[in-house]
Amino acid sequence: MGVIKTKGITKEYGAGLGQKRIKALDRLDLEIKEGEIFGVLGPNGAGKTTTIKILVGLMRPTSGTAQIFGKDCNNTKVRSKLGFLAESPYFYEYLTASEFLAFYGQLFDLSKNEIKQRSSALLKQVGLESSANLQLRKFSKGMLQRIGIAQALINNPALVILDEPMSGLDPIGRKEMRELILSLKAQGKTIFFSSHIIHDVEVICDRVGILVNGKLLAVGQIDEITQEKETLEESFIRIVQEVSA
Amino acid sequence: MKWRAVAINTFKEVMRDKIFYNLLIFALILIGGSILLATLTLGEQSKIIMDFGLASINLFGVLMAIFLGVSLVSKEIEKRTLYTVLSKPIGRTEFLLGKYAGLLLTLLVNTSIMIAGLYLTLMLNQFRWGLPVLSVEPRLVEAVFMIYLELCLMTAVALLFSTFTTTTLAAMFTLSTYLIGHISANLLAMSEKFAVRSTALLVKVIYYTLPNLSNFDIKGQVVHKVPIEPSYFLLTSAYAVLYITLLIGTAAFIFKRRDF
């Protein structure tokens, strides 16, 4: 059974009175297997964030079905197995790192003890142990991204969805993020993330999907997508240009 | 009990905001300052202090209810903090209820501090004129209870607007509802004299749709010791609860269907 399964999801937005509706996603079929790292590549405006928003229940598709763990994405309960980090996330800056993790822990009905244990382990894992009592308003962008990852893991999720997790990070931060994603896979978790940084996807993903103008144009292992002697970057550019032509 | 976590988080947010303290300190200065105003009158000092104090509690309470209320949800949307929260296993209605409860708790703390300030000012006035310090009007609590009910209702109005519009527009709509809500009873009385029937009908529609906030204003009766039947409190409370339920229900209906 696929951890994520979408069937023909289409998302249209109204662009104002009298204007043509914009199609952000066009009959997207996707199946993500348990324990794999799946990366969605696509240029800006391809529909990556829309797909993720539908999967985490922030948006409803205009048509089609989207499921995680065999249940509709709008089912609140199914989210207890989900961890999510939004793109350039904004958090409650008046909270300290510990309070912040405790708040999200409470939304999963974790006990005080569980929250305490998970928080201190996660703060250690993301290297923010010494900032536990610091308000988030004093955090740098890299630190915010790390505390964001920590909140996404507070419930020890089976599925982790990350929207552009490497964006805005320096090379060391990106390397750490890649290592973290690989360590999550080693723990048996399924990871679905979007990116427009091809190298990151190439290095860590088991399978890749290329999304352009709301359509999934290619999906599979990297060697299935690339043609002979072609790098993933070259394949990506070729596919995007074929669509634009 | 996930709504409780949201409520406590909302309470923390306001308590860690400097604006809250600025408004509260300003209100307390105004209440305390009424003791100076009272010296202008002869023999009616405590009435002036009560009048001025209750009006200040009402004004600052409403300001906080409106300006904090409208930012309850719209700020979460604008700052995108909502994305992370709603991806967790919490229903959207439960989230809204948590936000609402958090602000009601904040307003309760705020109102309690202001009424304590008013009683302190009254006791100081009694002491100044050599009167028994503790013989201050106990019925002020009745007036403040009604003010608090009004604040609960206005917060629900603000919450409703904040689910589908921007912070600025929601503030304007809520402020308009507050102003119309206070004059709608007068407008209805005047409508009898309107020559144009459609205008009279419009006034009636406004009167029956928007909350009649003059119901909650018993400041005059309390200050001038006019007795109020217990049934009045009961009926007005029921009116507030019913209205709030409708407002929150509508807010939840809209919020559940929104894309973010």
Side-chain angles (χ1 to χ4, degrees):
Chain A
M1 186 187 75
V3 173
I4 293 177
K5 197 171 182 184
T6 73
K7 210 168 175 192
I9 51 171
T10 297
K11 181 68 189 174
E12 289 180 353
Y13 298 107
L17 277 176
Q19 303 248 331
K20 210 179 151 192
R21 285 174 76 81
I22 296 166
K23 205 176 250 184
L25 279 182
D26 191 2
R27 287 164 289 163
L28 181 77
D29 293 325
L30 204 59
E31 187 163 349
I32 314 297
K33 296 183 204 96
E34 196 177 340
E36 73 173 337
I37 302 179
F38 188 94
V40 183
L41 271 175
N44 293 333
K48 303 187 293 286
T49 299
T50 305
T51 309
I52 286 179
K53 280 185 175 179
I54 289 173
L55 293 177
V56 300
L58 289 171
M59 239 180 215
R60 284 182 179 79
T62 312
S63 61
T65 54
Q67 293 183 328
I68 51 176
F69 299 106
K71 293 204 171 99
D72 191 277
C73 291
N74 285 312
N75 184 326
T76 312
K77 281 183 190 147
V78 82
R79 286 183 224 139
S80 56
K81 291 196 247 174
L82 172 74
F84 169 58
L85 174 67
E87 184 186 1
S88 314
Y90 291 83
F91 299 124
Y92 302 111
E93 54 179 25
Y94 51 88
L95 295 180
T96 65
S98 298
E99 287 173 334
F100 175 76
L101 293 181
F103 171 63
Y104 289 109
Q106 284 163 11
L107 297 186
F108 286 100
D109 275 338
L110 299 184
S111 70
K112 272 188 182 165
N113 253 344
E114 280 174 306
I115 290 175
K116 210 173 162 186
Q117 283 171 4
R118 293 278 312 154
S119 298
S120 65
L122 284 167
L123 286 171
K124 196 174 171 187
Q125 192 181 349
V126 298
L128 289 172
E129 248 177 326
S130 56
S131 309
N133 297 318
L134 198 66
Q135 280 189 331
L136 298 194
R137 67 174 96 236
K138 291 173 185 148
F139 273 36
S140 69
K141 192 172 164 108
M143 287 163 86
L144 280 176
Q145 196 77 349
R146 279 187 275 160
I147 194 72
I149 279 283
Q151 68 74 28
L153 301 176
I154 190 78
N155 57 324
N156 195 16
L159 168 65
V160 184
I161 297 180
L162 310 165
D163 193 4
E164 301 278 0
M166 280 85 159
S167 81
L169 293 182
D170 58 27
I172 295 167
R174 277 170 50 199
K175 183 175 168 280
E176 284 172 355
M177 185 64 80
R178 287 198 298 265
E179 284 168 359
L180 184 89
I181 292 174
L182 287 170
S183 78
L184 295 177
K185 178 188 158 77
Q187 291 165 33
K189 299 184 196 306
T190 308
I191 298 107
F192 179 93
F193 77 97
S194 72
S195 183
H196 57 260
I197 303 168
I198 295 167
H199 175 69
D200 295 331
V201 174
E202 202 166 19
V203 177
I204 58 172
C205 286
D206 296 311
R207 283 197 310 140
V208 175
I210 296 180
L211 194 65
V212 185
N213 295 339
K215 287 183 180 162
L216 193 65
L217 297 180
V219 63
Q221 289 173 5
I222 292 172
D223 54 5
E224 290 169 348
I225 291 176
T226 52
Q227 290 178 352
E228 213 180 331
K229 288 183 185 168
E230 204 182 38
T231 63
L232 182 62
E233 185 168 8
E234 285 163 343
S235 307
F236 176 71
I237 293 169
R238 174 178 49 81
I239 291 168
V240 173
Q241 281 174 344
E242 275 170 11
V243 174
S244 314
Chain B
M1 297 297 266
K2 293 165 192 169
W3 67 270
R4 227 171 63 179
V6 177
I8 291 168
N9 188 36
T10 308
F11 181 68
K12 270 186 194 162
E13 178 177 5
V14 183
M15 287 296 154
R16 291 179 187 179
D17 196 334
K18 280 181 196 145
I19 296 168
F20 175 79
Y21 295 98
N22 290 345
L23 275 171
L24 187 62
I25 289 168
F26 196 66
L28 288 174
I29 290 172
L30 219 62
I31 293 167
S34 64
I35 210 164
L36 300 173
L37 199 73
T39 52
L40 298 174
T41 63
L42 203 63
E44 298 284 350
Q45 287 92 347
S46 63
K47 272 186 186 159
I48 295 281
I49 295 170
M50 284 193 283
D51 249 340
F52 205 75
L54 288 175
S56 302
I57 292 173
N58 203 345
L59 176 73
F60 284 94
V62 165
L63 279 179
M64 283 196 195
I66 293 179
F67 291 104
L68 297 175
V70 292
S71 65
L72 270 181
V73 176
S74 51
K75 204 163 98 186
E76 293 254 7
I77 299 169
E78 282 160 24
K79 286 199 164 187
R80 290 194 270 162
T81 44
L82 192 74
Y83 290 5
T84 315
V85 181
L86 292 187
S87 70
K88 309 293 183 222
I90 178 169
R92 292 192 182 185
T93 306
E94 193 173 358
F95 171 76
L96 268 192
L97 286 175
K99 295 294 289 182
Y100 183 62
L103 192 48
L104 291 197
L105 179 65
T106 313
L107 291 171
L108 186 68
V109 170
N110 173 49
T111 312
S112 305
I113 294 172
M114 287 197 286
I115 193 172
L118 177 56
Y119 270 122
L120 205 69
T121 310
L122 281 168
M123 286 185 208
L124 209 66
N125 185 59
Q126 296 285 90
F127 177 74
R128 191 174 162 211
W129 298 102
L131 299 165
V133 172
L134 291 176
S135 69
V136 285
E137 179 59 64
R139 284 184 61 210
L140 286 180
V141 179
E142 289 177 11
V144 173
F145 169 73
M146 295 298 253
I147 290 174
Y148 185 68
L149 273 187
E150 184 184 19
L151 299 185
C152 295
L153 205 157
M154 285 317 297
T155 308
V157 173
L159 181 74
L160 170 63
F161 286 127
S162 78
T163 54
F164 63 87
T165 186
T166 60
T167 312
T168 319
L169 279 177
M172 280 167 62
F173 291 152
T174 313
L175 204 61
S176 309
T177 309
Y178 177 73
L179 294 175
I180 298 170
H182 267 285
I183 57 165
S184 65
N186 294 341
L187 280 177
L188 186 75
M190 272 165 62
S191 72
E192 311 287 325
K193 291 174 185 142
F194 287 156
V196 186
R197 283 190 63 187
S198 55
T199 316
L201 188 72
L202 180 72
V203 169
K204 273 189 183 147
V205 170
I206 289 175
Y207 178 79
Y208 288 111
T209 320
L210 296 182
N212 181 358
L213 298 176
S214 51
N215 286 340
F216 301 100
D217 188 3
I218 57 161
K219 296 194 283 287
Q221 287 100 305
V222 167
V223 172
H224 295 101
K225 300 186 190 299
V226 180
I228 298 168
E229 290 290 310
S231 62
Y232 184 80
F233 290 101
L234 212 64
L235 276 174
T236 316
S237 303
Y239 174 74
V241 170
L242 191 72
Y243 216 108
I244 289 168
T245 311
L246 275 173
L247 289 166
I248 303 280
T250 314
F253 181 81
I254 297 169
F255 194 61
K256 274 173 95 167
R257 276 153 189 79
R258 269 199 73 168
D259 277 345
F260 297 104

